[in-house]
Amino acid sequence: MAAAISYDVLVAGAGIVGAACALEFARSGLAVAIVEPAEVGGGATAAGMGHLAVMDDSPAQFALTSYSQALWSDLSAELPRDVEYLPCGSLWIAADEMEMDEVRRKHGYYTARGIAAEILDECALADAEPNLRPGMIGGLLLARDSVIYPPCAARHFVAEARKHGASLFQGRRVMKAEKGAAWLDDGTRLIAGKTVFATGTAAGATFRGLNVQPRKGHLLITDRYPGFVNHQLIELGYLKSAHSLQTDSVAFNVQPRKTGQLLIGSSRQYGVDDPAIEAAMMSNMLRRAIEYMPALRGVSAIRGWTGFRAATPDKLPLIGPYPDAEGVYLATGHEGLGISTSLATAKLLADLLLNRQSAIPLEPYAPTRNFAHA
Ligand SMILES: Cc1cc2nc3c(=O)[nH]c(=O)nc-3n(C[C@H](O)[C@H](O)[C@H](O)COP(=O)(O)OP(=O)(O)OC[C@H]3O[C@@H](n4cnc5c(N)ncnc54)[C@H](O)[C@@H]3O)c2cc1C
């Protein structure tokens, strides 16, 4: 454990969001303490797919994801090998004419905002991804989307933050914080001007009135099949599944890993807190994957797992001051985009702590709006 000194900012939680914040704060010259009860990058971050995507659900989601993608792209050259950065692009698959209309709408949206996007017709799609079921109508290629291995990125960020002077208190949990101090579960009082809670789904239980719900997801990884899939492939129906706030859902979502493995997703469930793999959910998810890509029937799976996304009612993260305690900040509620948006979250919070002008407006992510929902 590091020597007891005073810190400008304490970061509770060393998932990808806390780790990115710690690094950004330390690089900006702040004295940083990181407190993590378990493994660095071991929470939702270890369970996530690591798809770095620009999304267009809302102007605020687009602003955050596109800002963050540019930051990932700038950082990519300095990421260590084990982060497995793969600039494979995303392909949104249209199975029918209605989904093809959505491809055209998205194409217009992205290109009008300077994001490279290309419409593929049936032939071009089949050439790009020969293992897709024949007869898919087309797709949208977002060539600048990419993929990483999230837990190694979190570990890298914490290691870099420590090189910039940050202290890591591992095996400890933040119990309480206020302006000037935070208390750990062993009774230690740390002097910290500000505390940022990047505690993922745990934030829902820590802050009274905060509406952050765990949203369970299943994933499965296969043996190595280099070239089987060339892009992150997502059915356009995924958007319906991601938007549903009540019903359990599965969607075709397959990712090529740098190792040649295939990561197969994904499912979404509310109201479940048992992390056990559910056979019915896993088999629904695989059935959907095989519908889109029949050759998956022949691949060997190595491991399946589950994780919990921290979901907010309006599907935007909570980034900014906690309204009921001065000096306390939130960085949670990133649902299925926390890997993608971690770097932008870190920049926005650093801007806030240091009174810097932000690259995008902060207001849409202000935690105050979430308390109104509670
Ligand atoms: C199946 C699945 C697929 C996903 N796919 C993607 C994807 O492709 N792309 C994408 O961008 N996102 C994806 N996500 C979402 C992404 O994984 C999360 O949004 C992201 O990992 C959240 O990171 P975090 O740091 O906020 O939370 P976590 O990684 O959960 O970290 C929170 C940390 O806080 C610690 N903690 C808890 N309480 C305390 C306390 N009191 N004091 C100190 N520390 C504490 C925990 O131990 C934990 O390490 C996916 C998620 C799932 C479940």
Side-chain angles (χ1 to χ4, degrees):
M1 192 180 286
I5 53 167
S6 76
Y7 301 96
D8 296 316
V9 56
L10 182 152
V11 179
I16 191 97
V17 173
C21 287
L23 176 54
E24 185 61 33
F25 300 161
R27 270 191 177 150
S28 303
L30 296 174
V32 177
I34 310 162
V35 179
E36 168 55 57
E39 288 298 313
V40 170
T45 297
M49 250 188 153
H51 179 208
L52 305 179
V54 177
M55 301 289 282
D56 65 342
D57 277 9
S58 64
Q61 191 196 60
F62 175 79
L64 196 66
T65 52
S66 56
Y67 178 32
S68 216
Q69 185 186 70
L71 296 171
W72 276 110
S73 169
D74 291 348
L75 194 70
S76 58
E78 64 184 71
L79 294 172
R81 273 170 72 97
D82 64 2
V83 175
E84 296 177 14
Y85 180 80
L86 183 65
C88 56
S90 307
L91 246 175
W92 289 89
I93 314 293
D96 56 33
E97 271 307 333
M98 228 167 92
E99 290 182 355
M100 203 58 200
D101 286 346
E102 179 62 5
V103 161
R104 287 185 275 269
R105 189 203 61 76
K106 277 176 165 297
H107 179 260
Y109 185 94
Y110 285 120
T111 50
R113 289 161 181 80
I115 301 292
E118 186 188 342
I119 297 179
L120 304 191
D121 64 13
E122 185 174 343
C123 287
L125 179 63
D127 280 351
E129 293 292 345
N131 279 316
L132 276 174
R133 182 185 84 213
M136 293 294 174
I137 300 204
L140 184 73
L141 174 63
L142 295 176
R144 289 174 58 194
D145 285 357
S146 54
V147 157
I148 57 159
Y149 183 50
C152 285
R155 275 177 230 140
H156 170 64
F157 293 161
V158 168
E160 287 296 302
R162 295 180 79 182
K163 283 187 201 158
H164 284 81
S167 302
L168 174 64
F169 295 80
Q170 198 163 7
R172 297 271 65 92
R173 180 179 295 277
V174 179
M175 302 305 287
K176 195 177 111 179
E178 59 188 35
K179 190 178 177 195
W183 287 263
L184 308 189
D185 53 354
D186 63 353
T188 305
R189 177 176 176 271
L190 291 180
I191 301 163
K194 286 157 183 159
T195 298
V196 172
F197 279 83
T199 52
T201 52
T206 310
F207 295 96
R208 200 157 37 90
L210 189 68
N211 191 349
V212 172
Q213 303 293 331
R215 202 172 191 190
K216 186 175 177 180
H218 287 70
L219 291 178
L220 182 130
I221 195 151
T222 72
D223 207 341
R224 294 169 191 240
Y225 301 94
F228 192 100
V229 161
N230 302 312
H231 306 84
Q232 173 100 23
L233 301 179
I234 319 123
E235 64 163 292
L236 271 156
Y238 173 91
L239 296 171
K240 291 175 217 147
S241 115
H243 287 172
S244 162
L245 290 180
Q246 265 103 36
T247 34
D248 294 355
S249 58
V250 295
F252 169 69
N253 188 352
V254 174
Q255 178 180 98
R257 307 287 325 167
K258 216 168 191 173
T259 55
Q261 291 169 288
L262 306 173
L263 186 50
I264 304 178
S266 58
S267 68
R268 282 184 150 79
Q269 288 169 274
Y270 269 122
V272 185
D273 52 16
D274 181 354
I277 290 180
E278 293 167 53
M281 197 43 86
M282 190 64 107
S283 63
N284 282 346
M285 187 179 92
L286 294 178
R287 199 172 305 119
R288 188 69 175 167
I290 288 166
E291 268 170 41
Y292 274 76
M293 193 162 256
L296 283 174
R297 226 185 270 281
V299 308
S300 307
I302 289 180
R303 190 168 73 86
W305 65 89
T306 68
F308 292 91
R309 309 166 179 94
T312 61
D314 63 4
K315 297 184 255 27
L316 288 174
L318 306 170
I319 306 168
Y322 170 59
D324 287 348
E326 210 189 327
V328 176
Y329 293 76
L330 299 179
T332 181
H334 294 76
E335 219 270 358
L337 286 171
I339 314 295
S340 300
T341 56
S342 53
L343 297 184
T345 299
K347 282 275 186 208
L348 292 179
L349 275 170
D351 294 340
L352 203 59
L353 299 186
L354 292 160
N355 270 324
R356 298 188 308 213
Q357 179 69 37
S358 291
I360 60 170
L362 255 165
E363 292 72 27
Y365 322 106
T368 40
R369 77 186 198 282
N370 180 280
F371 288 88
H373 281 273

